[in-house]
């Protein structure tokens, strides 16, 4: 049934009563709150899943970098991505691998993998960023502002911990002669760094690695690229750059370094001659430079005996041959070389010879090298690539060629047989002497492998041999010599640079270190003004793995002679037995012989800053005077019980001894009291 309203009648709306309005408002507000809660929960759940997806153990990934915490929640490592920003929506986590497939530029291969998972002792992460575009670069920025850092390379100006100044664009991380060329990295290097925050980073050997820095922002630039670089992609591979490295975090700096050395470095399999640890080496270089002859060498050895110094061996340096590249003595300078060697043998002198990888164009061996294809060649591989080195122009022997290695070693063996020579001082070997464009028998994707091949050739003569280059050469059982020093006090190739350089090389896995000649190269005239520098230098050298004289003590006065005799005795009686004991352990542990003082107190921040003291093992701490005109110095004793060389006992440690008196004929040293 239907009802109709008249057309002129309007329906009346019912009004909401005042009592109902609050109820309706409350219902609407409740609905809004429920909807907001649901949305928030969904967003929170998604955020949680995303956060979990971008975290692997204690590493937190962001689109522009990552941070790593230690077990106490402290940020101990920061890395920023400079060459691209990750598209986090392309990231996924599967097991221990967190991977991403895109950046804002396009496709890439990026992943972080947890490779060591032991939160109590060590956590390691493998990081890889690989581009799919040729001739581009991958650039990451590593911050050093929250810790002290060590390692990397021998440098012309050396500090401990690392102290770099200014701004440096990334440049090839390759071995270089920093004495001759100044810029660049030194002859001994490894792409490994360690921090006081118990964090270590090792760049993979496959990376075309370039290193730069910005001291204002306190960052390292880690770059991988092939363009405008001495690195080459492996044969048959596209020049797609890849930056890959491992970052490990431990409980303290000492334990994480021990872990890294055992996992990533080789160890020497043999120990050099005991005599090189016990007795001084006597070199002709600083004394005579290239102006040597038979008479001078015999007079030199007579003086060594006259002043009652012991000797491991005498080292005949540049230039005993007629031409650079000859393997015999100049008959004008050495009219009767066999008689000279007979006399040296009768007097108990072993002899080593200076040798190098260059054959100058005027040597008879230059033609032999061309005929047999023994040299580094220009890019076509037809002609030798001529190079300029500090003694002229010549060709560079190619030790990636087995025939070159055999030919060179055979010539050295003939010298040993003919004259009774014990071993050789292998000079040069840096990649900085390779031409800008070159070809070798075996392709060198990493030019540092040229230095590595040189050390492999020398290892056969290990017992009294010395090298000045090292790259992945920790298993080579030779002494590794730091680059030449100038007769100066400072950090640029001077006396103050010795301890930072030796500690750096030591932490890179090279235990048998030769700190070069006492007093430096002495290119200026040896005068009485150099006396104090010479004394402080020889006092420091007495506590190094080996001592090397060239400017002899008798060039000064009786006081210097007596101080030199005193410290050669201290080296032989106190230092050498400990050195030999530690050398015997190196083949098993890889632990350094010369150690920073934080080695035994790794959580002591003050110890991490000390650059003028060092340890031999864990029990002998040395604090030489390195300032002119000083007969006192500050000495920092880390935690433990120490007895000084004067007999003083220090039990309330750590302690800073200010203005500790050290006479001109003394070195402050302290023995650990167990």
């Amino acid at each position: 049934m239907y009802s109709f309203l008249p057309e002129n009648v309007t329906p009346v709306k019912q009004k909401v009563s005042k009592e109902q309005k609050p109820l309706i408002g409350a219902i609407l507000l409740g609905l809004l709150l429920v909807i907001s809660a649901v949305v928030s929960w969904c967003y929170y759940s998604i955020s949680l899943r995303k956060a979990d997806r971008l975290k692997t153990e204690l590493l937190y990934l962001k689109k522009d970098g990552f941070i790593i915490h230690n077990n106490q929640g402290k940020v101990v490592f920061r890395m920023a991505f400079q060459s691209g920003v990750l598209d986090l929506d392309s990231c996924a986590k599967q097991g221990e691998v967190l991977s991403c497939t895109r950046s804002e530029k396009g496709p890439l291969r990026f992943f972080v993998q947890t490779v060591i998972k032991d939160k109590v002792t060590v956590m390691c992460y493998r990081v890889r960023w690989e581009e799919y575009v040729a001739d581009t670069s991958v650039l990451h920025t590593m911050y050093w502002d929250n810790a002290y850092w060590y390692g990397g390379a021998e440098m012309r100006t050396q500090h401990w911990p690392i102290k770099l100044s200014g701004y440096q664009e990334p440049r090839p991380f390759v071995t270089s002669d920093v004495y001759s060329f100044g810029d660049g990295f030194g002859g001994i290097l490894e792409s490994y760094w360690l921090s006081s925050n118990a964090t270590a980073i090792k760049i993979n050997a496959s990376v075309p690695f370039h290193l730069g820095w910005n001291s204002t922002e306190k960052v390292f630039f880690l770059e991988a690229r092939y363009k405008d670089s001495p690195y080459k992609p492996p044969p048959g591979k596209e020049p797609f750059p890849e930056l890959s490295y491992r970052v490990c975090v431990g409980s303290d700096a000492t334990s994480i370094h021990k872990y890294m050395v055992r996992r990533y470095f080789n160890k020497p399999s043999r120990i050099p001659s005991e005599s090189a640890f016990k007795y001084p080496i006597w070199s002709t270089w600083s004394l005579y430079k290239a102006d040597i002859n038979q008479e001078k060498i015999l007079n030199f050895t007579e003086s060594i005996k006259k002043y009652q110094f012991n000797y491991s061996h005498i080292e005949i340096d540049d230039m005993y041959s007629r031409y650079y590249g000859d393997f015999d003595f100049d008959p004008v300078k050495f009219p009767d070389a066999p008689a000279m060697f007979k006399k040296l043998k009768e007097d108990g002198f072993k002899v080593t010879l200076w040798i190098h990888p260059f054959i100058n164009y005027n040597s008879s061996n230059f033609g032999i090298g061309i005929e047999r294809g023994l040299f580094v060649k220009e890019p076509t591989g037809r002609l030798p690539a001529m190079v300029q080195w500090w003694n002229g122009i010549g060709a560079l022997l190619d030790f990636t060629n087995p025939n070159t290695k055999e030919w060179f070693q055979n010539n050295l063996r003939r010298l040993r047989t003919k004259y009774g020579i014990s071993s050789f001082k292998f000079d040069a070997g840096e990649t900085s002497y390779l031409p800008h464009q070159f070809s070798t028998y075996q392709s060198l994707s990493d030019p540092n492998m040229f230095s590595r091949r040189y050390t492999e050739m020398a290892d056969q003569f290990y017992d009294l041999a010395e090298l000045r280059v090292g790259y992945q050469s920790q298993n080579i059982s030779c002494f590794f010599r730091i680059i030449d020093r100038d007769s100066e006090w400072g950090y640029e190739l001077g006396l103050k640079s010795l301890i930072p350089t030796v500690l750096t090389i030591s932490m890179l896995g090279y235990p048998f270190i030769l700190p070069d000649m006492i007093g430096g190269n002495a290119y200026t005239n040896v005068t009485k003004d150099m006396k104090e520098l010479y004394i402080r230098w020889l006092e420091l050298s007495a506590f190094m793995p080996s001592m090397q004289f060239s400017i002899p003590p008798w060039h000064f006065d009786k006081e210097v002679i007596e101080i030199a005799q005193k410290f050669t005795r201290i080296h032989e009686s106190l230092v050498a037995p400990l050195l030999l004991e530690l050398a015997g352990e190196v083949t098993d542990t890889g632990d350094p012989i010369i150690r920073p003082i934080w080695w035994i107190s790794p959580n002591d921040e003050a110890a991490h800053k000390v650059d003028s003291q060092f340890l031999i093992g864990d029990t002998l701490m040395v604090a030489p005077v390195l300032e002119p005109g000083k007969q006192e110095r500050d000495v920092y004793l880390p935690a433990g019980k120490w007895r000084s060389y004067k007999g003083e006992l220090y039990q309330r440690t750590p302690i800073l001894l200010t203005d500790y008196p050290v006479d001109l004929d003394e070195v402050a040293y302290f023995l650990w009291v167990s």
Side-chain angles (χ1 to χ4, degrees):
M1 190 168 192
Y2 299 95
S3 61
F4 296 93
L5 292 174
E7 290 182 359
N8 59 348
V9 177
T10 303
V12 179
K13 284 186 179 179
Q14 280 193 323
K15 291 186 178 180
V16 178
S17 68
K18 290 184 179 181
E19 291 80 7
Q20 288 176 314
K21 283 183 178 180
L23 178 61
I24 295 172
I27 292 171
L28 291 173
L29 179 61
L31 286 172
L32 284 173
L33 289 173
V34 169
I35 292 170
S36 298
V38 170
V39 170
S40 298
W41 174 252
C42 292
Y43 181 79
Y44 179 64
S45 298
I46 293 170
S47 299
L48 280 177
R49 288 196 296 272
K50 189 171 184 179
D52 184 62
R53 190 178 77 218
L54 301 178
K55 174 180 177 293
T56 175
E57 298 302 333
L58 301 176
L59 183 149
Y60 297 82
L61 179 66
K62 300 181 292 182
K63 65 179 181 179
D64 57 355
F66 64 87
I67 60 173
I68 301 177
H69 294 84
N70 63 11
N71 288 329
Q72 289 73 46
K74 177 184 176 182
V75 174
V76 293
F77 188 82
R78 289 194 297 150
M79 188 75 83
F81 305 145
Q82 298 296 324
S83 53
V85 174
L86 291 175
D87 177 358
L88 297 183
D89 290 331
S90 75
C91 301
K93 186 176 179 183
Q94 185 172 3
E96 303 296 338
V97 180
L98 194 169
S99 61
C100 307
T101 59
R102 291 192 312 274
S103 72
E104 91 286 5
K105 295 180 180 179
L108 58 70
R109 185 187 183 200
F110 173 86
F111 68 80
V112 178
Q113 179 183 11
T114 305
V115 289
I116 300 294
K117 189 176 178 181
D118 184 352
K119 289 185 179 180
V120 177
T121 55
V122 63
M123 291 287 297
C124 285
Y125 307 93
R126 178 184 173 207
V127 182
R128 177 169 177 165
W129 182 305
E130 183 178 3
E131 291 283 353
Y132 294 138
V133 179
D135 293 329
T136 185
S137 71
V138 180
L139 178 62
H140 291 182
T141 298
M142 186 181 89
Y143 291 83
W144 78 54
D145 58 343
N146 61 346
Y148 303 106
W149 284 86
Y150 316 93
E154 180 184 19
M155 303 284 280
R156 183 179 178 90
T157 301
Q158 198 91 45
H159 293 280
W160 179 273
I162 293 171
K163 186 189 298 181
L164 299 170
S165 60
Y167 180 90
Q168 175 61 56
E169 287 285 347
R171 60 189 176 194
F173 193 69
V174 295
T175 59
S176 177
D177 177 357
V178 291
Y179 191 87
S180 297
F181 300 118
D183 291 337
F185 306 101
I188 300 173
L189 56 72
E190 302 292 335
S191 53
Y192 166 71
W193 289 267
L194 170 76
S195 86
S196 57
N197 272 344
T199 307
I201 180 170
K202 178 75 174 68
I203 311 297
N204 288 354
S206 60
V207 174
F209 182 52
H210 297 66
L211 179 69
W213 59 82
N214 184 336
S215 63
T216 302
E217 296 182 2
K218 296 185 178 180
V219 294
F220 278 127
F221 302 128
L222 314 181
E223 184 181 39
R225 63 178 162 89
Y226 291 111
K227 187 178 181 181
D228 301 325
S229 167
Y231 295 94
K232 303 174 185 176
K237 299 287 187 179
E238 293 287 338
F240 296 156
E242 164 215 321
L243 182 58
S244 55
Y245 46 86
R246 297 190 182 220
V247 181
C248 295
V249 180
S251 56
D252 60 69
T254 304
S255 62
I256 194 63
H257 177 70
K258 287 186 175 187
Y259 170 81
M260 297 296 285
V261 167
R262 284 157 176 74
R263 187 167 182 86
Y264 298 114
F265 292 160
N266 293 316
K267 298 186 291 291
S269 57
R270 300 169 293 185
I271 301 169
S273 172
E274 181 177 316
S275 67
F277 289 97
K278 293 179 68 174
Y279 310 122
I281 301 165
W282 297 83
S283 170
T284 64
W285 171 245
S286 291
L287 181 60
Y288 299 117
K289 303 299 189 290
D291 186 23
I292 58 171
N293 59 40
Q294 183 169 326
E295 181 182 6
K296 288 179 178 178
I297 288 172
L298 291 175
N299 288 340
F300 190 33
T301 57
E302 285 299 317
S303 296
I304 295 169
K305 293 190 301 174
K306 173 185 174 181
Y307 291 102
Q308 300 180 337
F309 284 97
N310 282 328
Y311 38 86
S312 168
H313 56 278
I314 185 169
E315 186 177 85
I316 300 177
D317 213 294
D318 184 7
M319 120 178 233
Y320 56 85
S321 60
R322 186 177 180 187
Y323 301 113
Y324 293 108
D326 293 353
F327 294 96
D328 212 336
F329 287 82
D330 182 346
V332 176
K333 288 185 167 188
F334 297 87
D336 194 351
M340 180 187 74
F341 279 97
K342 181 181 178 183
K343 171 64 173 168
L344 293 173
K345 183 177 180 181
E346 289 171 353
D347 291 343
F349 282 94
K350 295 179 180 178
V351 181
T352 62
L353 281 185
W354 176 74
I355 205 74
H356 53 81
F358 306 102
I359 307 292
N360 277 13
Y361 67 91
N362 53 358
S363 169
S364 59
N365 286 318
F366 184 75
I368 293 173
I370 292 176
E371 181 183 336
R372 299 188 183 183
L374 305 178
F375 299 137
V376 174
K377 297 181 175 65
E378 43 78 45
T380 67
R382 293 194 298 267
L383 298 172
M386 303 300 286
V387 299
Q388 184 164 5
W389 62 298
W390 67 89
N391 278 326
I393 296 174
L396 182 61
L397 289 165
D398 178 7
F399 289 106
T400 72
N401 185 342
N403 295 329
T404 302
K405 179 180 178 181
E406 182 181 9
W407 177 82
F408 192 75
Q409 289 177 331
N410 284 341
N411 278 290
L412 301 189
R413 290 190 200 101
R414 276 193 287 272
L415 281 168
R416 295 182 81 170
T417 302
K418 185 175 182 179
Y419 298 112
I421 290 165
S422 296
S423 191
F424 302 90
K425 171 186 177 178
F426 293 94
D427 215 350
E430 295 92 349
T431 66
S432 55
Y433 288 106
L434 287 166
H436 183 64
Q437 297 291 334
F438 66 92
S439 63
T440 48
Y441 181 84
Q442 294 177 0
S443 178
L444 292 176
S445 296
D446 180 356
N448 285 314
M449 292 308 294
F450 180 82
S451 298
R452 165 69 188 175
R453 296 290 176 255
Y454 188 53
T455 65
E456 290 172 345
M457 176 278 302
D459 193 40
Q460 185 177 117
F461 307 96
Y462 78 97
D463 54 345
L464 289 175
E466 62 179 79
L467 288 153
R468 78 174 198 188
V469 292
Y471 173 73
Q472 299 180 11
S473 304
Q474 292 87 351
N475 63 317
I476 304 300
S477 302
C478 302
F479 270 92
F480 285 82
R481 175 176 68 89
I482 69 175
I483 196 67
D484 302 40
R485 302 288 115 170
D486 286 328
S487 300
E488 306 286 347
W489 287 91
Y491 286 101
E492 184 177 354
L493 299 176
L495 176 60
K496 287 183 181 179
S497 71
L498 254 67
I499 294 174
T501 303
V502 170
L503 286 174
T504 297
I505 294 172
S506 187
M507 298 304 282
L508 295 179
Y510 296 89
F512 310 131
I513 303 171
L514 184 62
D516 205 46
M517 286 164 266
I518 291 167
N521 267 329
Y523 280 116
T524 55
N525 291 330
V526 180
T527 64
K528 292 190 181 297
D529 294 337
M530 187 183 162
K531 175 180 171 179
E532 183 188 10
L533 174 66
Y534 184 88
I535 290 171
R536 293 307 192 189
W537 207 304
L538 82 85
E539 290 169 348
L540 169 55
S541 294
F543 292 86
M544 289 291 170
S546 187
M547 296 182 73
Q548 187 175 48
F549 285 102
S550 185
I551 301 298
W554 53 88
H555 262 236
F556 296 95
D557 54 30
K558 182 180 178 182
E559 181 184 26
V560 176
I561 294 170
E562 290 175 348
I563 293 173
Q565 289 169 335
K566 171 185 174 179
F567 278 95
T568 54
R569 288 193 297 268
I570 288 175
H571 181 83
E572 182 180 342
S573 61
L574 173 67
V575 180
L578 181 56
L579 292 172
L580 288 166
E581 178 186 340
L582 294 166
E585 297 172 1
V586 161
T587 55
D588 293 324
T589 66
D591 288 347
I593 293 175
I594 304 298
R595 303 170 183 177
I597 66 169
W598 55 253
W599 185 266
I600 57 172
S601 191
N603 295 315
D604 182 348
E605 183 177 357
H608 279 276
K609 296 184 286 186
V610 176
D611 71 345
S612 61
Q613 298 173 219
F614 61 93
L615 290 164
I616 305 175
D618 291 344
T619 59
L620 177 56
M621 187 176 66
V622 187
V625 173
L626 305 176
E627 296 277 357
K630 296 288 186 180
Q631 295 201 21
E632 67 282 325
R633 63 155 293 160
D634 292 350
V635 178
Y636 185 74
L637 297 179
K641 189 186 295 185
W642 298 94
R643 189 179 301 279
S644 79
Y645 68 106
K646 300 176 182 179
E648 305 146 320
L649 184 64
Y650 296 92
Q651 300 185 71
R652 294 183 177 179
T653 55
I655 187 174
L656 178 66
L657 307 177
T658 58
D659 295 328
Y660 186 82
V662 187
D663 290 341
L664 183 61
D665 66 340
E666 294 181 324
V667 168
Y669 64 89
F670 301 78
L671 293 166
W672 175 275
V673 180
S674 60

